[in-house]
Amino acid sequence: MRLHIWTTALLVAASMPGATSLAHADGPSFDCRKAQLPTEKAICADPQLSAIDALVTKAYGGFEPAFGGDKRKIARGLIADRNACKTDTACIVSAQNNALQTYGNAPSWVEDYNIALIGRKALDLAAKTPKPIDQPLPASIGKCGFTHIKALTTRLGDDPLETASPEAGSAATFTNGGTAVSYDREPGLASSKVGDPVVMCLIVIPRDCPKDDLRGKVYYAIDLAAKGTWALPDSEHLCGGA
């Protein structure tokens, strides 16, 4: 997708009927009078964030870990991701959407809102940095960094993406060590070139996983030259997969 699509999506997501009704109907899962952390105060001050927080708590009630993990430990990790965002709204929504996906109940409007906000954050970062240099691969949810495309191939890495058939999928590697993989021909990657500058933002960190299986982080990215965007995992399979 192109950049203007995600900018428009930001406005659309904020005015979605589902998002608006939830924001007016639900408050956060905690007492705002006792809010102390910056993230808690940010959630209390924003009806959208309050509504999403209520959804997270509701989804947690029916959650059962897929790989025998400790339910409360997983929740504590997700809350730590959220609280580390402080007052960064794009980061908070990424963390909360990640929690909803972990608990198996992420409404489409939350996912759309997540992409819209993180897309705007990436664009703002690019606008403030006219001559970006490579940075380490983002390690915390909601964080962004600059890199360059190192290689563009099919999903299995055996042919150049530019000339491959659509069913061969897509894959990219980046100079910061990051990767992106899709079973489909990803339009954003297909429009890119090796060497293009990219902003990458980490939006998903799997928490319900087998021990030491770290696969499945998802990065939102913008090619600053070709203007394509994508949100793809770093491996063919999520944690616990084949």
Side-chain angles (χ1 to χ4, degrees):
M1 290 190 178
R2 298 294 177 178
L3 297 183
H4 73 275
I5 295 178
W6 288 130
T7 303
T8 302
L10 175 61
L11 302 176
V12 172
S15 60
M16 286 179 181
T20 302
S21 61
L22 279 170
H24 285 295
D26 299 306
S29 60
F30 53 88
D31 188 344
C32 285
R33 293 172 297 180
K34 299 179 181 179
Q36 296 184 348
L37 298 176
T39 299
E40 292 175 338
K41 293 179 181 180
I43 290 172
C44 289
D46 188 317
Q48 297 285 81
L49 298 185
S50 294
I52 295 170
D53 188 75
L55 289 175
V56 172
T57 300
K58 183 178 179 180
Y60 173 76
F63 168 61
E64 292 297 333
F67 303 101
D70 185 295
K71 179 176 179 175
R72 292 185 178 181
K73 183 178 180 180
I74 292 170
R76 285 195 296 270
L78 291 164
I79 291 172
D81 289 340
R82 184 200 73 180
N83 290 342
C85 294
K86 297 187 178 179
T87 60
D88 183 339
T89 301
C91 178
I92 294 171
V93 176
S94 293
Q96 296 288 64
N97 186 45
N98 188 40
L100 288 169
Q101 290 185 29
T102 301
Y103 298 151
N105 189 12
S108 59
W109 75 263
V110 178
E111 297 188 46
D112 292 342
Y113 194 42
N114 182 192
I115 292 296
L117 290 179
I118 204 72
R120 185 174 70 177
K121 179 177 179 177
L123 285 172
D124 288 345
L125 178 62
K128 295 175 183 177
T129 317
K131 295 182 179 180
I133 59 173
D134 275 15
Q135 298 171 316
L137 184 66
S140 300
I141 203 160
K143 299 299 182 183
C144 302
F146 294 103
T147 187
H148 288 77
I149 296 175
K150 184 177 181 179
L152 290 166
T153 66
T154 56
R155 178 175 61 87
L156 299 178
D158 46 9
D159 291 302
L161 180 59
E162 185 177 12
T163 57
S165 59
E167 61 271 16
S170 309
T173 58
F174 304 92
T175 52
N176 62 5
T179 55
V181 182
S182 173
Y183 278 83
D184 301 316
R185 185 176 179 84
E186 171 56 50
L189 289 179
S191 67
S192 298
K193 303 292 183 183
V194 171
D196 281 356
V198 170
V199 179
M200 293 180 69
C201 305
L202 179 56
I203 58 173
V204 170
I205 300 177
R207 294 300 186 193
D208 182 16
C209 296
K211 184 179 180 181
D212 299 326
D213 190 344
L214 304 178
R215 295 174 297 168
K217 291 180 180 178
V218 176
Y219 296 86
Y220 172 88
I222 297 176
D223 184 320
L224 299 177
K227 310 304 182 185
T229 69
W230 58 89
L232 293 174
D234 61 3
S235 62
E236 291 185 62
H237 302 285
L238 303 182
C239 66

